[in-house]
Amino acid sequence: MKKTLGLVTIFFLFSFSVFSQKATISGIITNANENTPVYNSVVALLTPVDSILYQFTRSGKDGKFNLKNVKAGDYILMTSHNQYADYVDVITMDENDKKLGTIPLMSKIELLREVVIKTGSIRIKGDTTSYRASDFLVDANANVEELLKKLPGIQVDKNGAIKAMGETVQKVLVDGEEFFGDDPGMAVKNLRADAVKEVQVFDKKSELAEFTGIDDGKTQKTINLKLKEDKKKGYFGKIDGANEPFSDADSRYNTNLMFSSFKGKRKLSAFLLNGNTGQDGLGWEDSEKFGARDSNISMNMDDDGNVSYEWVGDNNDGEPRINTQNGFTKNTNAGLQYTNKWNDKQNLNVSPKFNNQIYTNNSSRISQTQIGETQLNENRSTVNNVDRSNFKLNAVYDVKLDSVNSIKFSARTNFYDTNSDEFTDGITTGNDEILKNKQQRLAITDSDKSALSAGFLFKHKFAKARRTFSVNGSWSRLNTSSNNFLRSSNESYVEGILATKDSINQNKIGDRTTQNLSASFSYSEPIAKQLSLQFAYQIAYDTGKNNQLTYDFSEDTGRYDQLVSSLSNEFEQTFITQRPNLKLSYNAKKINYSIGSGFGFTSFDLLDKTINKEYKRSYTNFFPSANFSYKYKSNSSLRFNYQGSTRQPTLDQLQPLRNNQDFFNQTVGNPDLKQSFTNTINISQSSYDMLTETQIYQGLNFSTTSNAIIYSRVIDPETAKTVSRPINTNGNFSGNFYLGYGLKIKKLNMRADFSPSFGYNKSVLSINDKMGSAKNLNTGFSVYLNKSKQKQYDISLSNRFSFNRNNTSQNDEVKSFNTNNLNLDIGVYFAKNWKVSTDYNLNTRQKTVDFQDNLTNQLWNARLQRTFKNDEFTAYFLVRDILNQNIGIQRNIYQNTISQEQNDRLKRYAMIGFTWNFKNGGGAKNK
């Protein structure tokens, strides 16, 4: 009776559905490999809330299927066949019929490495995680950066740096091609979010690994933006201008012009950014690309656990130190991007860019250094003025000669000019505030740099599958010419009484050139169905010269014409490296691995031309490598990588030249330096559960370095004068662990992400010829919550807590402190075309034994906007730093020194602006 009643109930419900709705879902199931119909495949509709079967049918002999009388709403469409992989998709029905077209299924026998799972938002296939952009709500006319902030597993910090699955994104591609060179920020800031169909995240392998199929462990975390087809047929852009009202001539202003045009496979984009609010400034990462900072760098960790870099001494070319998060900046950025393909055989990518930056900053720094029983306390203030410009040109031409041969040419140029002056005033005291030294220093910099590089890659595929041959050649040259002036007054005290006074007035002329020429070839041979063998050989020839001449000012002649021999040197270096390598690779459905080894033969030839002394030495290194990946589920993978690598000393580190830019903190080179060798292990795992919309990823990395290059410091406790010299040491290692867990809380329709992290670093230090170590422990925990509804509201809440613990063998005292950053971001729509948005940031820094103040500041910004003409025009009013509490304070720990630095920051201001977001009919909706 119960069974009969159940059947009657089901029949009644089914009959009700039939007579109340008329919509039909239709499509064709085919074999993806042969494009032939698939017969008798189950096609089912499930309700997304509870995954209950709503309706099903089977495909006919022609592969066609029909699901009739489907009620309007959201469903999960799923196919099932014993010979093919399951296919899952989320569809939305209205009162109209829906034609799904062709649904290709992958054969389990031939192609199935894992089940292809697709949801309405996220799809994972192999190593690639794809996000359907339209399912993540952003404002009309938002850029890609705003879209990325909505994607689970991706974070964009306040400086624009992007992390995906806990790793820093190094490349952003557009339809697989570089966009404005290799700068990730250009694509995400210049492209509209509504032009993107899909965001793909993956570890991009080296070009050689992609070609041969043999993993070399060299990957870059990469985001690829797949554009919508209709966005490739027209143009879109933005004109935005804003200015501070009712202010003087030095008011805040921004002007942004962006334009993109697409026609088939031709892409053309341009931008012009001009303003003085610090937008799109160049951070130190960009300066690295310009060759501006290439030596005398040591790593330290700040009180938030962030890695930063400290100059033990200024470079010999006197480049200024700039952090554009501080101070006041006037920027002009302009760029052009052109990409085109012809006949799917020729591809051209050209990207010129220009940047000019005028920067001013006032900073003060307090530091405490422990030397035995003596504590040195330094108070220093600095005024910085910098005017620098840079022009870059990147070009790539890739051509397929025929079906088996291709060649790729690349060229890069970079011209960099800097003019700056830096004035420093500082004193150092010891115990009981007894004066140790005083200094006033003016450094004037005038330097020009040019970086040129070119390369080619030839690839050939033989008739036999997986048999390949490639040849790669590259050349690069960096030249720096500098003409700098140093004027300083330096007083040393003993027991608080003036002992010596040194006045410096010098002109430093530098000419430095480094050059690299390398060639390599690779041959891969299949030795079994799933096994391949690769042999590679590389030879590299590196040369460098550094001529540094220092002249004292002569009162008699009124010129800088007295050569200072102790500060002048002419130095040349030559490195020759040969590296044969053999690797075995295994590729299967779920398991892939490669294991191999190489040998490195390096010869050093150093010549000190000033004293006519030559240094020669040679090294032989063993380079084992291993890569392993296991796809244990369709949407889950585990990856292991081990790599050995060498690092050559820099020209500044080798040249026995004293740098007296800072009289009380000098450096001197060491021609006896050896190359260092680092062993690195990385383990990572990621998975995604379609039904619960849960994502989890974690990673562990560990590295240890032998013959690590550190700076040995000799510190005079009486005068606080420090002389640093690079040396080789052993015992340096670091380990880091990160985890990310994200889920969708369906009852609240809210996204939640949790990210704990752990890091430990041990570095060897040498102070006054006593070896010791510095140990740093950093832990953190982040929480992110987001809830939004289209054209109604968007609310995000995040919190990041960090704990930092540091101690050194020089001092038994353990220094520990914590920081916390709370951020609330709210956007509310009203009256259809109005929106008010506000963001609040609370930064708290715990007081320490050394610094007794709790550093807490609140940053509150707000914006009111009104859109017109279907969101094409926007007028807005914004206020930054409403509470006027933007302070640039940072604490750092480096070995036995703890410091606190405060910089100028742009405080409260208001702006009125207007934006025109335009696009042609190719990207507009039909009316």
Side-chain angles (χ1 to χ4, degrees), residues 587-872:
N587 293 280
K589 292 180 179 179
K590 291 188 175 182
I591 295 178
N592 294 272
Y593 68 80
S594 65
I595 184 169
S597 179
F599 290 90
F601 306 97
T602 303
S603 64
F604 279 32
D605 188 356
L606 313 177
L607 176 62
D608 189 334
K609 296 178 67 177
T610 301
I611 61 175
N612 195 28
K613 184 176 181 179
E614 193 171 20
Y615 305 83
K616 286 190 175 184
R617 61 183 73 98
S618 60
Y619 302 97
T620 300
N621 285 304
F622 179 56
F623 291 93
S625 64
N627 299 282
F628 174 84
S629 64
Y630 175 42
K631 303 169 186 175
Y632 55 92
K633 288 184 181 179
S634 60
N635 56 343
S636 303
S637 64
L638 175 68
R639 187 177 179 90
F640 169 87
N641 168 258
Y642 163 77
Q643 199 76 27
S645 61
T646 59
R647 176 194 167 196
Q648 310 296 344
T650 66
L651 191 54
D652 277 343
Q653 291 171 334
L654 289 168
Q655 187 172 15
L657 179 66
R658 185 163 57 94
N659 182 356
N660 71 330
Q661 193 80 0
D662 183 342
F663 182 83
F664 292 106
N665 292 278
Q666 301 190 18
T667 60
V668 61
N670 179 9
D672 293 320
L673 280 178
K674 303 174 183 177
Q675 60 183 4
S676 63
F677 189 88
T678 300
N679 297 282
T680 304
I681 295 175
N682 292 288
I683 304 173
S684 61
Q685 184 272 341
S686 63
S687 62
Y688 180 76
D689 189 300
M690 178 200 70
L691 295 179
T692 62
E693 295 189 56
T694 300
Q695 182 183 40
I696 186 170
Y697 58 86
Q698 55 263 322
L700 174 68
N701 60 73
F702 177 83
S703 67
T704 179
T705 303
S706 57
N707 284 326
I709 300 174
I710 70 164
Y711 279 85
S712 172
R713 294 187 290 167
V714 176
I715 306 174
D716 183 352
E718 291 297 328
T719 63
K721 186 174 182 179
T722 301
V723 178
S724 302
R725 183 172 181 265
I727 61 172
N728 293 105
T729 60
N730 293 307
N732 292 270
F733 68 86
S734 65
N736 294 279
F737 172 78
Y738 61 86
L739 183 144
Y741 178 75
L743 74 160
K744 186 173 183 179
I745 305 174
K746 294 185 178 181
K747 290 185 178 181
L748 300 176
N749 192 28
M750 182 171 67
R751 185 76 197 177
D753 292 277
F754 306 92
S755 304
S757 62
F758 172 89
Y760 182 79
N761 180 75
K762 179 187 176 183
S763 58
V764 176
L765 56 85
S766 173
I767 299 176
N768 291 344
D769 297 324
K770 292 182 180 180
M771 303 301 294
S773 63
K775 302 174 183 178
N776 182 273
L777 170 68
N778 176 261
T779 59
F781 188 80
S782 297
V783 179
Y784 174 78
L785 303 172
N786 175 261
K787 183 176 176 63
S788 59
K789 193 169 184 180
Q790 183 75 22
K791 281 293 185 179
Q792 292 189 29
Y793 59 83
D794 189 346
I795 304 173
S796 297
L797 176 67
S798 64
N799 192 81
R800 169 70 181 176
F801 174 82
S802 295
F803 172 76
N804 196 298
R805 182 181 187 274
N806 188 87
N807 69 293
T808 72
S809 56
Q810 295 279 327
N811 187 356
D812 294 333
E813 181 184 358
V814 175
K815 300 180 185 297
S816 62
F817 41 83
N818 60 64
T819 63
N820 196 80
N821 178 268
L822 174 68
N823 188 78
L824 177 64
D825 199 333
I826 301 175
V828 178
Y829 299 85
F830 61 95
K832 189 178 180 179
N833 294 318
W834 288 85
K835 180 188 177 184
V836 59
S837 56
T838 184
D839 61 275
Y840 172 79
N841 191 284
L842 174 64
N843 294 288
T844 58
R845 303 171 180 86
Q846 181 189 24
K847 66 181 180 180
T848 68
V849 174
D850 306 282
F851 302 108
Q852 289 294 310
D853 296 327
N854 273 312
L855 297 180
T856 300
N857 70 308
Q858 305 173 76
L859 298 178
W860 181 24
N861 307 312
R863 171 179 167 128
L864 175 67
Q865 70 177 48
R866 168 74 157 84
T867 59
F868 307 88
K869 197 179 177 182
N870 296 323
D871 298 323
E872 183 176 352

Side-chain angles (χ1 to χ4, degrees), residues 213-226:
I214 298 177
D215 195 349
D216 57 9
K218 300 175 182 178
T219 62
Q220 292 181 311
K221 185 63 72 175
T222 301
I223 289 178
N224 181 43
L225 306 173
K226 292 187 67 175

